[in-house]
Amino acid sequence: MQEQETKTSDVLRHNFVKVKPQDMRSQEPVKYYGETERLLLTPFVQEDSACFAKIASHPDVQAVDICFYGEVSTEYAKELISYYDTYWKDNTALFFSIHLKKPRTLIGSISLQLNPSFKRAELSYWLGRDYWGQGYCTEAANEVVKFAFSQLDYHRVFAQHLSNNPASGRVIRKIGMSYEGRLHEHVYRDGKYYDILQFGVLKKDYIRWLTSM
């Protein structure tokens, strides 16, 4: 049994570190900071707001992401980042900024919407238009899913994407998730209805998928 646990730990090894507040009396939550070969995955800070607003305002990003509509102002980005910090405190969601290591540049966001009662999390992400097609989402998502199963000990991770965003579906499949169903005309935007495609993976199946690679 111990050998099996060691093998599982090795397979799910991730590059996130836990950082506690320096002042033990602080109400600030524990946060996690991660990295991959090319990326840094860190909690958002207000200094990210201007770049956040710029890349989230791109029409191509908004066409495939239901979170943003129209120009995203720096002030609105600051508000969102404040909300993200509240979610960390409430342990309801973990929002990570995605930064390139070299040069240090904000390129997007990846998050886990948490449901501790059911030990499941929803993975979501978006990336600036200039950074599509370079494997960044897959790289970040792989690390975050390992984190969810290993650090958080969750049982299930799932993800959804709009039917007009097949590239997101390819990312989801590349990180071991399986197609689970379609929510027909689930989203209404700009006079059109869009389907939502859902994918998911259980911890045991994700471990099996990793070990088969």
Side-chain angles (χ1 to χ4, degrees):
M1 178 63 72
Q2 186 174 359
E3 182 180 354
Q4 180 63 39
E5 290 177 354
T6 301
K7 288 181 179 180
T8 297
S9 177
D10 289 343
V11 169
L12 292 178
R13 183 177 291 114
H14 59 79
N15 292 309
F16 277 90
V17 295
K18 180 189 295 187
V19 178
K20 298 180 180 179
Q22 291 183 346
D23 184 349
M24 299 304 294
R25 297 167 298 178
S26 171
Q27 297 302 308
E28 288 299 307
V30 169
K31 291 188 176 179
Y32 297 92
Y33 295 76
E35 66 176 294
T36 66
E37 180 181 354
R38 298 179 294 172
L39 306 172
L40 296 173
L41 308 174
T42 67
F44 276 96
V45 294
Q46 288 297 335
E47 288 76 12
D48 293 323
S49 56
C51 188
F52 183 118
K54 180 180 179 181
I55 59 178
S57 294
H58 196 290
D60 289 352
V61 173
Q62 297 190 1
V64 294
D65 191 293
I66 62 174
C67 295
F68 308 115
Y69 188 82
E71 182 179 357
V72 178
S73 68
T74 299
E75 289 305 311
Y76 181 60
K78 288 180 178 179
E79 290 181 16
L80 283 178
I81 291 171
S82 293
Y83 289 138
Y84 295 167
D85 202 47
T86 300
Y87 300 149
W88 277 90
K89 292 176 182 177
D90 294 343
N91 196 38
T92 53
L94 308 180
F95 279 85
F96 297 99
S97 65
I98 304 175
H99 281 81
L100 288 180
K101 286 183 178 179
K102 297 180 181 180
R104 179 68 182 266
T105 309
L106 178 69
I107 65 171
S109 172
I110 189 164
S111 65
L112 289 170
Q113 308 286 332
L114 306 179
N115 191 322
S117 297
F118 294 117
K119 300 192 72 173
R120 70 180 183 223
E122 179 178 3
L123 177 75
S124 301
Y125 50 79
W126 60 269
L127 208 63
R129 181 63 182 88
D130 292 341
Y131 307 100
W132 291 6
Q134 300 174 61
Y136 293 132
C137 266
T138 304
E139 190 172 321
N142 259 322
E143 196 66 24
V144 171
V145 172
K146 287 181 183 178
F147 167 82
F149 286 136
S150 180
Q151 183 69 42
L152 303 181
D153 192 27
Y154 273 27
H155 178 69
R156 167 176 161 80
V157 177
F158 67 99
Q160 301 177 328
H161 72 84
L162 288 169
S163 53
N164 68 332
N165 188 12
S168 186
R170 290 192 290 272
V171 169
I172 294 169
R173 291 181 187 276
K174 285 179 182 177
I175 60 172
M177 292 195 191
S178 300
Y179 175 69
E180 295 182 333
R182 178 184 292 260
L183 303 176
H184 294 277
E185 299 186 358
H186 196 67
V187 173
Y188 181 76
R189 293 186 63 177
D190 297 327
K192 296 181 180 179
Y193 289 97
Y194 296 91
D195 293 355
I196 288 285
L197 280 65
Q198 179 152 319
F199 296 75
V201 65
L202 302 181
K203 182 177 181 177
K204 62 181 181 181
D205 296 328
Y206 184 70
I207 293 171
R208 187 180 302 116
W209 174 77
L210 281 178
T211 55
S212 69
M213 295 178 65

